[in-house]
Amino acid sequence: MRRPHLQSDPRANPTDRYNREAHSYRELWAPILRVAGLRLLREFAGAPVHRIVDVGTGVGFLLPDLRMTFPGAFILGIDRSPGMLALMPTGSPRAVMDATQLGLPPASVDLVLLVFMLFHLKAPADGLREARRILRGGGRVGCLTWAGDLQSPATLIWTECLEAHGAAEADPTTETRHEPVNTPAKMEALLCSAGFSSVRCWTDELVSSIHLDHLIRLRTSMGSAKPRFDSLTVLAQEACVADARRRMEKLEPEDFVARGSVVCAAADASRWADTDYVRKRNKRRTR
Ligand SMILES: C[S@@+](CC[C@H](N)C(=O)[O-])C[C@H]1O[C@@H](n2cnc3c(N)ncnc32)[C@H](O)[C@@H]1O
Protein backbone atom coordinates (compact mmCIF):
# COMPACT_ATOMS: atom_id res chain seq x y z
CA MET A 1 0.00 0.00 0.00
CA ARG A 2 1.31 3.48 -0.91
CA ARG A 3 2.02 5.64 2.09
CA PRO A 4 0.50 9.11 2.10
CA HIS A 5 2.83 12.06 1.51
CA LEU A 6 3.06 14.57 4.31
CA GLN A 7 1.10 17.60 3.25
CA SER A 8 2.34 21.11 3.82
CA ASP A 9 0.09 22.37 6.60
CA PRO A 10 0.19 25.55 8.67
CA ARG A 11 2.33 23.77 11.27
CA ALA A 12 4.95 23.34 8.56
CA ASN A 13 5.47 27.14 8.56
CA PRO A 14 9.20 27.33 9.29
CA THR A 15 8.86 30.18 11.78
CA ASP A 16 6.28 28.30 13.86
CA ARG A 17 8.44 25.21 13.69
CA TYR A 18 11.58 27.08 14.78
CA ASN A 19 9.64 28.76 17.62
CA ARG A 20 8.46 25.37 18.87
CA GLU A 21 11.75 23.55 18.44
CA ALA A 22 14.18 26.28 19.55
CA HIS A 23 15.39 24.48 22.69
CA SER A 24 16.09 21.25 20.84
CA TYR A 25 17.75 23.24 18.06
CA ARG A 26 20.14 24.90 20.49
CA GLU A 27 21.01 21.68 22.28
CA LEU A 28 21.07 19.15 19.46
CA TRP A 29 21.57 20.81 16.06
CA ALA A 30 23.36 24.16 16.44
CA PRO A 31 26.60 22.57 17.81
CA ILE A 32 26.76 20.36 14.69
CA LEU A 33 26.37 23.29 12.28
CA ARG A 34 28.83 25.49 14.22
CA VAL A 35 31.82 23.59 12.81
CA ALA A 36 30.96 24.73 9.27
CA GLY A 37 30.18 28.28 10.44
CA LEU A 38 33.57 28.56 12.12
CA ARG A 39 35.38 27.59 8.92
CA LEU A 40 33.45 30.22 6.98
CA LEU A 41 34.38 32.90 9.52
CA ARG A 42 38.07 32.25 8.89
CA GLU A 43 37.55 33.62 5.37
CA PHE A 44 36.77 37.04 6.79
CA ALA A 45 39.18 37.16 9.73
CA GLY A 46 41.71 39.98 9.74
CA ALA A 47 39.58 42.43 7.74
CA PRO A 48 38.52 45.72 9.37
CA VAL A 49 34.99 44.79 10.43
CA HIS A 50 33.07 47.03 12.83
CA ARG A 51 29.41 46.19 12.18
CA ILE A 52 28.12 42.69 11.50
CA VAL A 53 24.60 41.45 10.83
CA ASP A 54 23.97 37.71 11.21
CA VAL A 55 20.77 37.19 9.20
CA GLY A 56 18.81 34.10 10.26
CA THR A 57 21.01 33.92 13.36
CA GLY A 58 18.69 31.39 15.02
CA VAL A 59 19.81 30.91 18.63
CA GLY A 60 22.97 32.91 17.88
CA PHE A 61 25.25 29.93 18.26
CA LEU A 62 27.91 31.60 16.09
CA LEU A 63 27.99 34.83 18.11
CA PRO A 64 30.76 33.87 20.57
CA ASP A 65 32.92 32.87 17.59
CA LEU A 66 32.09 36.12 15.82
CA ARG A 67 33.10 38.07 18.93
CA MET A 68 36.40 36.18 19.09
CA THR A 69 37.10 36.72 15.38
CA PHE A 70 36.12 40.43 15.36
CA PRO A 71 36.82 41.77 18.85
CA GLY A 72 34.97 45.02 19.53
CA ALA A 73 32.64 44.74 16.51
CA PHE A 74 28.93 45.46 16.97
CA ILE A 75 27.07 42.25 16.09
CA LEU A 76 23.33 42.20 15.45
CA GLY A 77 21.45 38.89 15.24
CA ILE A 78 18.34 38.95 13.06
CA ASP A 79 15.73 36.24 12.70
CA ARG A 80 12.07 35.80 11.87
CA SER A 81 11.58 33.48 14.86
CA PRO A 82 11.22 35.20 18.25
CA GLY A 83 11.48 31.77 19.91
CA MET A 84 14.95 31.24 18.46
CA LEU A 85 16.12 34.80 19.24
CA ALA A 86 15.01 34.38 22.86
CA LEU A 87 17.71 31.72 23.29
CA MET A 88 20.57 33.88 22.03
CA PRO A 89 23.45 34.47 24.45
CA THR A 90 22.41 36.99 27.12
CA GLY A 91 23.02 40.62 26.21
CA SER A 92 23.40 40.02 22.45
CA PRO A 93 21.66 42.65 20.31
CA ARG A 94 18.85 41.03 18.35
CA ALA A 95 15.80 41.92 16.27
CA VAL A 96 12.86 40.11 14.70
CA MET A 97 13.08 40.93 10.98
CA ASP A 98 12.56 39.23 7.68
CA ALA A 99 15.72 38.63 5.65
CA THR A 100 14.06 40.10 2.59
CA GLN A 101 13.02 43.35 4.33
CA LEU A 102 15.69 44.41 6.77
CA GLY A 103 14.86 47.53 8.73
CA LEU A 104 18.42 48.81 8.46
CA PRO A 105 19.84 51.75 6.51
CA PRO A 106 21.70 51.24 3.23
CA ALA A 107 25.48 50.96 3.26
CA SER A 108 25.61 50.70 7.06
CA VAL A 109 27.30 47.32 7.66
CA ASP A 110 30.74 45.75 7.01
CA LEU A 111 29.81 42.05 7.04
CA VAL A 112 26.54 40.19 6.50
CA LEU A 113 26.26 36.47 7.18
CA LEU A 114 23.47 34.19 5.95
CA VAL A 115 24.30 30.84 7.51
CA PHE A 116 22.07 27.85 6.75
CA MET A 117 19.09 30.07 6.06
CA LEU A 118 18.89 31.00 2.36
CA PHE A 119 17.01 27.78 1.53
CA HIS A 120 14.10 29.05 3.62
CA LEU A 121 13.54 32.03 1.32
CA LYS A 122 11.06 31.72 -1.54
CA ALA A 123 13.52 33.71 -3.62
CA PRO A 124 17.04 33.50 -2.14
CA ALA A 125 18.10 36.33 -4.49
CA ASP A 126 15.80 38.69 -2.53
CA GLY A 127 17.73 37.97 0.69
CA LEU A 128 21.05 38.49 -1.08
CA ARG A 129 19.92 41.78 -2.65
CA GLU A 130 18.84 42.98 0.79
CA ALA A 131 22.24 41.99 2.22
CA ARG A 132 23.87 43.91 -0.65
CA ARG A 133 21.73 46.97 0.12
CA ILE A 134 22.82 47.23 3.77
CA LEU A 135 26.52 46.59 3.02
CA ARG A 136 28.86 49.52 2.55
CA GLY A 137 31.00 49.55 -0.59
CA GLY A 138 33.81 47.06 0.05
CA GLY A 139 31.73 45.24 2.70
CA ARG A 140 31.47 41.46 2.46
CA VAL A 141 28.86 38.73 2.57
CA GLY A 142 29.29 35.13 3.70
CA CYS A 143 26.80 32.30 3.10
CA LEU A 144 26.47 28.63 3.93
CA THR A 145 23.92 26.29 2.39
CA TRP A 146 23.55 22.53 2.11
CA ALA A 147 25.06 20.67 -0.86
CA GLY A 148 24.25 17.20 0.48
CA ASP A 149 22.52 15.68 3.50
CA LEU A 150 24.37 14.83 6.69
CA GLN A 151 24.21 11.03 6.72
CA SER A 152 25.78 8.06 8.48
CA PRO A 153 24.97 4.34 8.65
CA ALA A 154 23.08 5.20 11.86
CA THR A 155 20.95 7.92 10.21
CA LEU A 156 20.13 5.49 7.40
CA ILE A 157 18.91 2.96 9.98
CA TRP A 158 16.63 5.64 11.42
CA THR A 159 15.12 6.26 7.97
CA GLU A 160 14.66 2.52 7.42
CA CYS A 161 12.89 2.21 10.77
CA LEU A 162 10.53 5.08 9.89
CA GLU A 163 9.68 3.28 6.65
CA ALA A 164 9.30 -0.11 8.34
CA HIS A 165 6.86 1.30 10.91
CA GLY A 166 4.71 3.01 8.29
CA ALA A 167 5.66 6.69 8.53
CA ALA A 168 4.23 8.99 5.89
CA GLU A 169 6.53 9.84 2.99
CA ALA A 170 8.64 12.95 3.44
CA ASP A 171 7.15 16.26 2.35
CA PRO A 172 8.79 16.69 -1.11
CA THR A 173 9.15 20.46 -0.60
CA THR A 174 11.70 19.73 2.15
CA GLU A 175 14.12 18.55 -0.53
CA THR A 176 13.24 20.97 -3.30
CA ARG A 177 13.77 24.10 -1.20
CA HIS A 178 17.52 23.34 -1.18
CA GLU A 179 17.79 23.06 -4.94
CA PRO A 180 18.23 26.76 -5.83
CA VAL A 181 21.26 27.10 -3.52
CA ASN A 182 22.84 23.64 -3.39
CA THR A 183 25.90 24.06 -5.67
CA PRO A 184 28.74 26.61 -5.87
CA ALA A 185 27.68 27.49 -9.44
CA LYS A 186 24.11 28.33 -8.37
CA MET A 187 25.35 30.40 -5.44
CA GLU A 188 27.79 32.23 -7.68
CA ALA A 189 25.07 33.15 -10.16
CA LEU A 190 22.75 34.31 -7.36
CA LEU A 191 25.42 36.44 -5.71
CA CYS A 192 26.48 38.01 -9.00
CA SER A 193 22.90 38.79 -9.94
CA ALA A 194 22.39 40.40 -6.53
CA GLY A 195 25.23 42.82 -7.30
CA PHE A 196 28.21 41.19 -5.57
CA SER A 197 31.71 40.95 -7.04
CA SER A 198 34.85 38.87 -6.34
CA VAL A 199 32.48 35.96 -5.72
CA ARG A 200 34.12 32.78 -4.45
CA CYS A 201 32.03 29.66 -3.86
CA TRP A 202 33.26 26.20 -2.90
CA THR A 203 32.10 23.03 -1.20
CA ASP A 204 33.31 21.85 2.17
CA GLU A 205 32.74 18.61 4.05
CA LEU A 206 30.83 18.68 7.32
CA VAL A 207 31.65 15.71 9.53
CA SER A 208 30.10 15.11 12.92
CA SER A 209 29.79 12.17 15.30
CA ILE A 210 26.13 11.94 16.24
CA HIS A 211 25.77 9.20 18.82
CA LEU A 212 22.79 6.98 19.48
CA ASP A 213 20.91 8.99 22.10
CA HIS A 214 21.71 12.30 20.45
CA LEU A 215 20.52 10.99 17.08
CA ILE A 216 17.25 9.60 18.42
CA ARG A 217 16.47 12.78 20.36
CA LEU A 218 17.37 14.87 17.32
CA ARG A 219 15.13 12.94 14.95
CA THR A 220 12.19 12.78 17.35
CA SER A 221 12.24 16.36 18.62
CA MET A 222 13.08 18.69 15.74
CA GLY A 223 13.90 19.22 12.10
CA SER A 224 12.39 18.57 8.73
CA ALA A 225 12.24 14.79 9.33
CA LYS A 226 10.23 15.11 12.55
CA PRO A 227 6.84 15.26 10.81
CA ARG A 228 7.49 11.74 9.49
CA PHE A 229 7.95 10.49 13.06
CA ASP A 230 4.91 12.49 14.18
CA SER A 231 2.81 10.77 11.50
CA LEU A 232 3.10 7.46 13.42
CA THR A 233 0.73 6.40 16.18
CA VAL A 234 2.16 6.54 19.71
CA LEU A 235 2.52 2.75 19.69
CA ALA A 236 4.29 2.79 16.34
CA GLN A 237 6.57 5.60 17.55
CA GLU A 238 7.61 3.51 20.56
CA ALA A 239 8.22 0.47 18.37
CA CYS A 240 10.19 2.56 15.85
CA VAL A 241 12.48 3.99 18.54
CA ALA A 242 12.99 0.56 20.18
CA ASP A 243 13.77 -1.02 16.81
CA ALA A 244 16.21 1.76 15.84
CA ARG A 245 17.92 1.59 19.23
CA ARG A 246 18.30 -2.21 19.02
CA ARG A 247 19.82 -1.99 15.54
CA MET A 248 22.10 0.94 16.36
CA GLU A 249 23.45 -0.73 19.50
CA LYS A 250 25.10 -3.26 17.19
CA LEU A 251 26.95 -0.56 15.21
CA GLU A 252 30.63 0.38 15.52
CA PRO A 253 31.55 3.92 16.68
CA GLU A 254 32.51 4.97 13.12
CA ASP A 255 28.97 4.14 11.96
CA PHE A 256 27.78 7.21 13.89
CA VAL A 257 30.09 9.55 12.01
CA ALA A 258 27.79 11.60 9.78
CA ARG A 259 29.13 13.24 6.62
CA GLY A 260 27.50 15.94 4.60
CA SER A 261 28.62 18.69 2.30
CA VAL A 262 27.99 22.39 2.38
CA VAL A 263 28.33 25.23 -0.10
CA CYS A 264 30.37 28.14 1.24
CA ALA A 265 30.29 31.53 -0.42
CA ALA A 266 32.14 34.79 0.12
CA ALA A 267 31.74 37.94 -1.95
CA ASP A 268 32.34 41.68 -1.96
CA ALA A 269 29.85 44.48 -2.23
CA SER A 270 31.27 46.78 -4.83
CA ARG A 271 29.49 49.51 -6.76
CA TRP A 272 30.26 48.09 -10.19
CA ALA A 273 29.44 44.45 -9.57
CA ASP A 274 25.99 44.62 -11.17
CA THR A 275 27.43 45.87 -14.40
CA ASP A 276 30.22 43.26 -14.33
CA TYR A 277 27.78 40.43 -13.98
CA VAL A 278 25.40 41.67 -16.63
CA ARG A 279 28.32 42.12 -19.05
CA LYS A 280 29.65 38.60 -18.35
CA ARG A 281 26.17 37.07 -18.61
CA ASN A 282 25.47 38.83 -21.91
CA LYS A 283 28.82 37.67 -23.27
CA ARG A 284 27.97 34.05 -22.34
CA ARG A 285 24.56 34.37 -24.02
CA THR A 286 26.00 35.70 -27.28
CA ARG A 287 28.58 32.88 -27.56
C1 LIG B 1 18.70 26.31 10.07
S1 LIG B 1 18.45 27.75 11.04
C2 LIG B 1 20.09 28.46 11.04
C3 LIG B 1 20.35 29.27 12.26
C4 LIG B 1 21.80 29.73 12.42
N1 LIG B 1 22.24 30.57 11.32
C5 LIG B 1 22.71 28.54 12.61
O1 LIG B 1 23.55 28.28 11.73
O2 LIG B 1 22.56 27.84 13.64
C6 LIG B 1 17.57 28.83 9.98
C7 LIG B 1 17.14 30.12 10.65
O3 LIG B 1 16.67 31.03 9.65
C8 LIG B 1 15.54 31.70 10.15
N2 LIG B 1 14.75 32.21 9.01
C9 LIG B 1 14.06 31.50 8.09
N3 LIG B 1 13.48 32.32 7.20
C10 LIG B 1 13.81 33.58 7.58
C11 LIG B 1 13.52 34.88 7.04
N4 LIG B 1 12.76 35.03 5.95
N5 LIG B 1 14.02 35.96 7.67
C12 LIG B 1 14.78 35.83 8.79
N6 LIG B 1 15.09 34.62 9.33
C13 LIG B 1 14.62 33.52 8.73
C14 LIG B 1 14.80 30.64 10.94
O4 LIG B 1 13.88 31.21 11.85
C15 LIG B 1 15.98 29.93 11.61
O5 LIG B 1 16.29 30.49 12.86
Side-chain angles (χ1 to χ4, degrees):
M1 196 179 74
R2 270 178 74 81
R3 275 189 283 268
H5 269 283
L6 284 168
Q7 300 295 318
S8 302
D9 64 33
R11 282 173 62 83
N13 173 329
T15 302
D16 291 349
R17 181 163 72 71
Y18 280 112
N19 281 335
R20 276 197 312 275
E21 298 175 0
H23 281 92
S24 300
Y25 186 98
R26 182 172 66 175
E27 184 193 348
L28 302 167
W29 192 227
I32 293 173
L33 301 188
R34 176 176 168 241
V35 180
L38 259 174
R39 278 202 224 123
L40 180 71
L41 289 194
R42 279 193 218 128
E43 279 295 307
F44 302 98
V49 169
H50 305 291
R51 290 188 197 160
I52 304 172
V53 178
D54 185 17
V55 178
T57 190
V59 295
F61 216 74
L62 217 47
L63 291 200
D65 300 313
L66 275 167
R67 281 198 211 112
M68 291 268 283
T69 313
F70 306 104
F74 174 80
I75 307 165
L76 176 64
I78 277 174
D79 205 282
R80 219 169 47 171
S81 157
M84 293 287 270
L85 288 179
L87 300 188
M88 276 178 74
T90 319
S92 314
R94 67 201 78 184
V96 176
M97 284 184 200
D98 192 291
T100 58
Q101 275 187 306
L102 299 173
L104 296 170
S108 57
V109 171
D110 302 306
L111 175 63
V112 174
L113 296 171
L114 300 111
V115 173
F116 293 118
M117 70 80 57
L118 277 172
F119 42 79
H120 283 307
L121 305 185
K122 277 200 188 92
D126 291 349
L128 294 175
R129 266 192 295 272
E130 195 55 355
R132 172 70 189 82
R133 183 185 68 77
I134 64 165
L135 278 167
R136 64 164 171 82
R140 302 190 75 197
V141 68
C143 310
L144 274 179
T145 54
W146 286 107
D149 268 0
L150 197 57
Q151 283 192 340
S152 66
T155 67
L156 294 177
I157 285 182
W158 177 255
T159 307
E160 284 169 15
C161 290
L162 282 177
E163 309 269 328
H165 290 274
E169 296 287 350
D171 176 355
T173 59
T174 304
E175 286 306 312
T176 53
R177 70 176 186 203
H178 290 284
E179 270 171 29
V181 292
N182 67 358
T183 67
K186 290 176 190 173
M187 280 303 296
E188 184 181 342
L190 282 168
L191 282 158
C192 290
S193 69
F196 287 98
S197 62
S198 306
V199 177
R200 208 167 78 75
C201 301
W202 67 101
T203 50
D204 196 5
E205 214 190 9
L206 176 55
V207 181
S208 185
S209 276
I210 311 176
H211 293 287
L212 199 159
D213 286 318
H214 188 141
L215 180 59
I216 289 182
R217 288 184 59 217
L218 185 65
R219 288 291 192 258
T220 55
S221 67
M222 59 152 289
S224 52
K226 180 173 182 285
R228 296 198 71 193
F229 182 68
D230 291 345
S231 73
L232 299 173
T233 63
V234 174
L235 278 181
Q237 286 182 351
E238 282 171 9
C240 176
V241 170
D243 196 12
R245 192 174 277 285
R246 192 175 34 77
R247 290 181 60 189
M248 288 184 205
E249 275 165 358
K250 294 185 189 138
L251 294 178
E252 299 295 329
E254 63 266 25
D255 295 327
F256 292 92
V257 178
R259 291 170 199 282
S261 53
V262 296
V263 181
C264 311
D268 294 357
S270 88
R271 210 143 47 96
W272 305 111
D274 253 332
T275 335
D276 276 356
Y277 178 64
V278 171
R279 208 185 49 232
K280 273 192 215 152
R281 190 188 55 195
N282 289 346
K283 208 166 156 190
R284 254 184 262 133
R285 280 186 185 156
T286 51
R287 260 187 221 143

